[in-house]
Amino acid sequence: MTATEPAARDAIAADASPQPAPGATPPRTPLVARAAAELVGTAALVAIVVGSGIQATELTEDVGLQLLANSTATVFGLGVLIALLGPVSGAHFNPAVTLAEWWTARRGGAGVDVRELAVYVPSQIAGAIAGAILADAMFGEPLVKWSTHDRSAGNLLLGEVVATAGLILLIFGLARTDRLRLAPVAVASYIGAAYWFTSSTSFANPAVTIGRAFTDTFAGIAPGSVPAFIGMQLIGAVVGLALVAVIFLRGKTHAG
């Protein structure tokens, strides 16, 4: 027996060991670490959205340029956060995504279980609120001031259904086709585009929606508009999962 044989056997055994399914939460990562990643990631995302919005309004009065600056910062920031924290928690940063993963797990697919769901969602909401407060603090705004930016119009609510459905279709479509490695670029690019092609500027995230109610700045949303936005986002998630089931329908194999 040569000295290299044990190492070769170990390598073969490692290759033969079960591998995580696409979209599954990375193995052997403690739940506390995943919760921390979701909290910090969501906080950073909201700080980017709110902070860049404040900065934009201080630099120009042109609303188009303000939205361009806000969306550009969000694209780059979100891509970095997904690349950094995806290997830890899956980089959901979004209760709609977490709920969709839980549903797919119940149906026999990869995803989070009830315990993980109960930890992820509060972490995301707490992170979103913290991120809004942090952004306000960095720019000398009141730490907590309820937004007065009403977003209750029906066309905006339709925009949230479309934005969230597209996001869920993208994420779970990538998972179905084993291309989640593209998520940092693909998800960030989609959100950047949806800033412009949806009437609501694509919140598409219940936690971020709650967090943005805590700041009366460019990116804020009035608390009275939050429940309807979240309701439409959840409807959008259902629509997105339905589209995934239809578009990425798996064929049946026939014996013999």
Side-chain angles (χ1 to χ4, degrees):
M1 180 182 291
T2 66
T4 60
E5 287 179 354
R9 284 201 307 271
D10 291 343
I12 293 171
D15 289 340
S17 63
Q19 299 299 310
T25 302
R28 303 186 189 88
T29 304
L31 184 56
V32 65
R34 283 179 272 153
E38 287 298 302
L39 189 151
V40 171
T42 312
L45 174 59
V46 174
I48 291 166
V49 173
V50 174
S52 62
I54 297 172
Q55 183 80 285
T57 56
E58 291 183 353
L59 294 175
T60 179
E61 294 182 359
D62 187 316
V63 178
L65 288 177
Q66 291 171 358
L67 186 60
L68 178 61
N70 193 212
S71 60
T72 301
T74 302
V75 167
F76 287 116
L78 180 57
V80 168
L81 290 172
I82 294 173
L84 175 65
L85 299 175
V88 179
S89 68
H92 297 189
F93 314 146
N94 187 336
V97 174
T98 304
L99 283 165
E101 278 218 359
W102 169 75
W103 177 255
T104 59
R106 288 184 73 250
R107 305 282 293 179
V112 298
D113 59 25
V114 173
R115 178 167 170 260
E116 292 165 327
L117 175 70
V119 172
Y120 270 45
V121 173
S123 299
Q124 293 158 353
I125 294 172
I129 295 170
I133 294 172
L134 175 60
D136 282 340
M138 287 192 293
F139 287 92
E141 300 286 340
L143 296 185
V144 176
K145 185 178 181 182
W146 299 117
S147 176
T148 56
H149 195 163
D150 179 74
R151 299 178 188 263
S152 59
N155 62 302
L156 303 183
L157 299 179
L158 175 60
E160 279 304 287
V161 174
V162 172
T164 311
L167 178 63
I168 296 299
L169 173 60
L170 171 62
I171 293 172
F172 287 83
L174 290 176
R176 283 282 184 97
T177 56
D178 195 20
R179 292 183 295 169
L180 277 174
R181 63 188 179 281
L182 302 177
V185 172
V187 173
S189 298
Y190 172 79
I191 292 298
Y195 256 86
W196 292 91
F197 79 76
T198 64
S199 56
S200 62
T201 66
S202 184
F203 284 46
N205 185 327
V208 168
T209 303
I210 292 170
R212 288 168 66 167
F214 283 74
T215 177
D216 192 21
T217 59
F218 177 79
I221 177 173
S225 301
V226 169
F229 254 56
I230 292 177
M232 294 304 103
Q233 290 158 0
L234 296 178
I235 291 173
V238 172
V239 172
L241 285 177
L243 290 172
V244 171
V246 172
I247 294 172
F248 298 97
L249 184 66
R250 295 190 176 109
K252 295 181 180 180
T253 58
H254 298 279

